Amino acid sequence: MAADKPSSKGQAWFCATGLPSDIIIEVDDMTFHLHKFPLISKSRKIDQLIEEQGKKSSTVTVTKQKQRETGNEIEEEEEETEEYQDQQDDEEEDRYQISLQDFPGGSDAFETAAKFCYGVKIDLSSSTVVPLRCAAEFLEMTDEYSEDNLISKTERFLSQSVFKNLKASIKALKSCESVMTLAESLGIVERLIDSIALRASSTDPTLFGWPVNDGIVEAKGTSAQALWNGIETGLRRKALARTSNVESWFEDLALLSLPLFKRLISTLKRRDLSPEVIESCLMSYAKKYIPGTSRSNRKPSSSLAAAITESEQRELLETIISNLPLEKTHSSSSTATRLLFGLLRSANILNSSESSKAALEKKIGFQLEQATLDDLLIPSYSYLNETLYDVDCIERILGYFLDGLEERNAAGIEAENEGNNDNIINSSRLPALMLVGKLIDGYLSEIASDANLKPEKFYNLAILLPDQARNFDDGLYRAVDVYLKAHPWIPESEREKICGVLDCQKLTLEACTHAAQNERLPLRAVVQVLFFEQLQLRHAIAGTLLAAETAPMNAGRLSGTRRDDDEEEEQQQDEEEERVAMSRGEQGSTTWRVAVRENQVLRLDMDSMRTRVHQLERECSTMKKVIQKIEKENPRGSGWRGSLNKRFGCKFKTQVCDSHESTVTETRRRRHHHHQE
């Protein structure tokens, strides 16, 4: 039976078939004026309700007739009024009125079910099929009652369209929140969660990674090669389409309520899904509902995040932290680390549990080399900390990083002992350590200007890294200099302790020159710097002399070798044709002239270099005698620098490293690199 197009007026819904309605059904605040025969042909529930209401109306009619038979004498006008009222009552009794309380899916789901009863074609979607399936269950629209009924129709759509698609399953799971009780009893929620876990595990794992924007950039970068004369090819479009699908997958997942999201994550972990997928899901959900995860955007990313209370945000944050994989994932990047630091700031603001903070700090420590200086600047939210930034937190994170390096190093040694030649762990240890060393030096320079920073905290954080973390101590020297400048009141013993974190042998000549003239350094530190600066100059001079002696010998060997080669070539060319012999002879003579010219230039350079080296030796010897004489006369005097300048006649920079400063620095770096190899 096909019906005309239905219409709704205010809070009433009518089916325009040309026949007066004989049943009124109330669902929520909507009144439906319908016909009982289309409804009872599909719904056993409505048929039973109409039958029950019919029995009640017949009982009321019999009661009224008995009252009229046994009543007293009534006037004629009253009899006419009663007859008219009975007529109205009979008409109302013919129109059934049914109220459906707590109808699953509300008035929208009942409207769709009513259209199905009238034979109107209905359009199913992943967002509406679950409420409609629950409505059909409530109305008992089974195939046993009527062939090809609504329950079987919705079940086919779930099996053929929803369970086979990841995004559709997530949208359907979201729609279960309004009909959770009935959807749970029907097993729809469990089936949808299993479907999402299955589809997520079979998806390309390279698509999951943080951040999602990095995936877009990577897709654009790789697909940019798939351009031919500026024309976009199919490979580029496919890469961008796949990345866009991953973005929408995360956006849909973030719409789930926290209880459903927790159940989904638990199922994903039980199925041993890759940590990259689980971490990406958690971080995407956190970005949507937890404000302050990014310094660039302090406001919440959705209106839902602004609506939830502080306790709900704390529960959500602790849930995300407890489910994060502790190990470092392959998708870890600077953006993922930045989000972890954002979660740590939010945990401090929301006063999360200490266990949650510790787990998050440990997770950050395993990928600290991906962090930036801005990430480490975590403000102190506690009144117990006097410093501007939370130095204790960074010290704990650095400790977790070093523990992780030791574990990876131990694992690499065990693998080597077992005969495994995989040295990936050992090869990646030093670069990560050096990156963190540079990062910590920058952090020390940033916090050194804090007047409330105690010398013990600065010292403990500076010595926490091993010697292999720094090739040069110039960054650490800068932090020490800033700290001494910002804390002029600390005693001499504390100054010497702070300067004790420096390794003067790792200071470049530029840093040594600056330190020798630094009034803030204690005298012992300056003497050490001067000593090692002289030692560096001595090694540099020795290296220069060695190079000057070996260069002429190499040039003589080269010229002699070239002469022998030319003679052999001339003997072979005599046996060949005259034209080829002449061309080869001209080329050989040209090569010989070039070699002789280069040899002459090299000899002149060596002579000038030897003269300069002798001058440097005399200057160094004079400077050493003057320094020893000054130390004997006034070893603790305050004006020793002025006396040195007055007696010596010029400053250190002019005498020590004026002519060949860059050459000496380069020689030192090459020597240091050769020593490391």
Side-chain angles (χ1 to χ4, degrees), residues 585-653:
E586 291 176 358
Q587 183 178 3
S589 61
T590 303
T591 306
W592 169 252
R593 286 195 298 270
V594 172
V596 172
R597 190 180 300 110
E598 291 178 352
N599 192 10
Q600 292 176 353
V601 173
L602 186 60
R603 288 178 182 276
L604 293 176
D605 290 340
M606 292 300 105
D607 291 338
S608 62
M609 179 65 71
R610 189 177 291 105
T611 302
R612 179 59 184 162
V613 167
H614 290 319
Q615 293 177 359
L616 287 175
E617 286 180 341
R618 288 195 297 271
E619 291 175 359
C620 290
S621 178
T622 304
M623 183 180 65
K624 184 177 180 180
K625 292 178 181 179
V626 171
I627 292 175
Q628 291 176 353
K629 186 176 181 180
I630 292 173
E631 289 179 351
K632 290 179 180 179
E633 293 177 356
N634 190 10
R636 300 291 292 179
S638 59
W640 67 276
R641 289 187 178 87
S643 177
L644 181 61
N645 292 335
K646 185 176 180 180
R647 296 191 181 188
F648 193 68
C650 55
K651 294 184 179 181
F652 293 118
K653 184 174 181 60

Side-chain angles (χ1 to χ4, degrees), residues 310-562:
E310 181 178 335
S311 59
E312 292 174 341
Q313 287 184 352
R314 187 185 304 110
E315 180 186 1
L316 170 60
L317 181 59
E318 292 179 354
T319 300
I320 290 174
I321 294 174
S322 62
N323 287 283
L324 278 175
L326 286 180
E327 65 273 9
K328 180 181 177 181
T329 59
H330 296 291
S331 62
S332 298
S333 63
S334 58
T335 306
T337 308
R338 187 177 303 115
L339 287 171
L340 291 175
F341 273 102
L343 292 179
L344 184 57
R345 294 189 187 93
S346 300
N348 292 330
I349 295 173
L350 297 173
N351 293 323
S352 298
S353 62
E354 294 298 328
S355 60
S356 298
K357 294 179 184 178
L360 197 54
E361 290 173 356
K362 190 173 184 179
K363 171 70 175 177
I364 294 174
F366 287 155
Q367 54 193 61
L368 185 58
E369 69 274 9
Q370 300 288 346
T372 61
L373 179 58
D374 186 65
D375 297 332
L376 267 61
L377 299 177
I378 302 176
S380 295
Y381 297 101
S382 175
Y383 294 103
L384 301 177
N385 293 332
E386 299 178 354
T387 56
L388 180 61
Y389 297 107
D390 195 348
V391 183
D392 296 333
C393 176
I394 301 302
E395 187 175 350
R396 291 192 298 268
I397 291 175
L398 183 57
Y400 289 130
F401 169 77
L402 296 176
D403 293 341
L405 279 184
E406 291 180 359
E407 292 177 1
R408 281 181 280 177
N409 192 24
I413 294 175
E414 291 179 0
E416 290 179 359
N417 294 334
E418 293 176 359
N420 189 1
N421 295 325
D422 188 6
N423 295 325
I424 297 177
I425 295 177
N426 293 329
S427 63
S428 62
R429 181 177 181 271
L430 274 180
L433 186 60
M434 294 177 66
L435 285 174
V436 173
K438 184 178 180 180
L439 181 66
I440 294 300
D441 289 347
Y443 180 74
L444 287 171
S445 300
E446 192 69 26
I447 66 174
S449 58
D450 189 357
N452 295 324
L453 182 62
K454 303 297 183 185
E456 294 80 8
K457 284 192 176 182
F458 183 90
Y459 177 81
N460 292 334
L461 185 60
I463 66 172
L464 197 58
L465 284 171
D467 295 337
Q468 297 87 351
R470 302 179 179 96
N471 282 337
F472 302 99
D473 276 10
D474 288 16
L476 187 58
Y477 167 71
R478 178 178 179 273
V480 170
D481 186 35
V482 173
Y483 185 82
L484 295 179
K485 183 178 180 181
H487 302 78
W489 58 83
I490 63 175
E492 188 74 11
S493 59
E494 295 290 347
R495 288 174 175 269
E496 292 181 356
K497 182 179 180 181
I498 292 297
C499 293
V501 302
L502 293 173
D503 186 358
C504 296
Q505 300 185 63
K506 289 187 176 182
L507 293 177
T508 61
L509 285 178
E510 292 83 357
C512 286
T513 303
H514 185 277
Q517 302 175 8
N518 194 342
E519 298 286 346
R520 291 181 289 272
L521 295 181
L523 181 60
R524 180 179 295 180
V526 175
V527 172
Q528 289 179 355
V529 169
L530 290 174
F531 173 76
F532 286 110
E533 186 179 20
Q534 289 185 11
L535 190 63
Q536 290 178 14
L537 282 173
R538 186 178 301 172
H539 286 301
I541 291 170
T544 305
L545 289 176
L546 182 61
E549 292 176 358
T550 56
M553 297 176 59
N554 293 335
R557 293 171 185 170
L558 179 62
S559 61
T561 305
R562 287 182 177 177

Side-chain angles (χ1 to χ4, degrees), residues 145-326:
Y145 185 78
S146 178
E147 186 178 356
D148 196 16
N149 215 336
L150 187 57
I151 290 180
S152 60
K153 184 178 182 64
T154 52
E155 283 290 345
R156 281 196 304 270
F157 186 82
L158 285 171
S159 302
Q160 298 175 2
S161 301
V162 176
F163 293 145
K164 294 182 179 181
N165 186 275
L166 182 60
K167 290 182 59 179
S169 298
I170 297 175
K171 291 181 179 179
L173 184 61
K174 170 65 179 177
S175 65
C176 291
E177 296 175 1
S178 60
V179 290
M180 181 58 67
T181 304
L182 191 53
E184 283 280 11
S185 62
L186 295 175
I188 299 177
V189 176
E190 192 68 27
R191 286 188 291 168
L192 286 172
I193 291 177
D194 291 339
S195 172
I196 294 172
L198 179 62
R199 300 299 167 188
S201 60
S202 61
T203 309
D204 186 2
T206 59
L207 295 179
F208 298 96
W210 269 98
V212 177
N213 292 334
D214 284 354
I216 297 177
V217 173
E218 183 179 356
K220 289 182 179 179
T222 54
S223 59
Q225 301 176 356
L227 294 176
W228 182 75
N229 291 338
I231 302 175
E232 191 175 42
T233 61
L235 179 62
R236 178 185 175 91
R237 289 192 295 270
K238 289 179 180 179
L240 293 176
R242 293 196 333 169
T243 311
S244 177
N245 290 334
V246 174
E247 270 196 307
S248 58
W249 188 86
F250 286 123
E251 291 176 358
D252 295 336
L253 188 66
L255 295 176
L256 296 176
S257 63
L258 182 58
L260 281 178
F261 183 76
K262 291 170 65 175
R263 290 182 57 181
L264 176 60
I265 293 298
S266 300
T267 304
L268 294 178
K269 295 178 72 173
R270 284 199 307 269
R271 287 181 172 269
D272 294 331
L273 211 61
S274 64
E276 288 82 3
V277 179
I278 297 176
E279 182 176 343
S280 301
C281 296
L282 292 168
M283 300 301 286
S284 176
Y285 199 85
K287 281 187 66 177
K288 191 171 185 66
Y289 291 101
I290 299 178
T293 53
S294 176
R295 285 197 168 189
S296 59
N297 185 15
R298 294 292 188 183
K299 297 180 180 180
S301 58
S302 65
S303 58
L304 295 176
I308 61 179
T309 62
E310 181 178 335
S311 59
E312 292 174 341
Q313 287 184 352
R314 187 185 304 110
E315 180 186 1
L316 170 60
L317 181 59
E318 292 179 354
T319 300
I320 290 174
I321 294 174
S322 62
N323 287 283
L324 278 175
L326 286 180

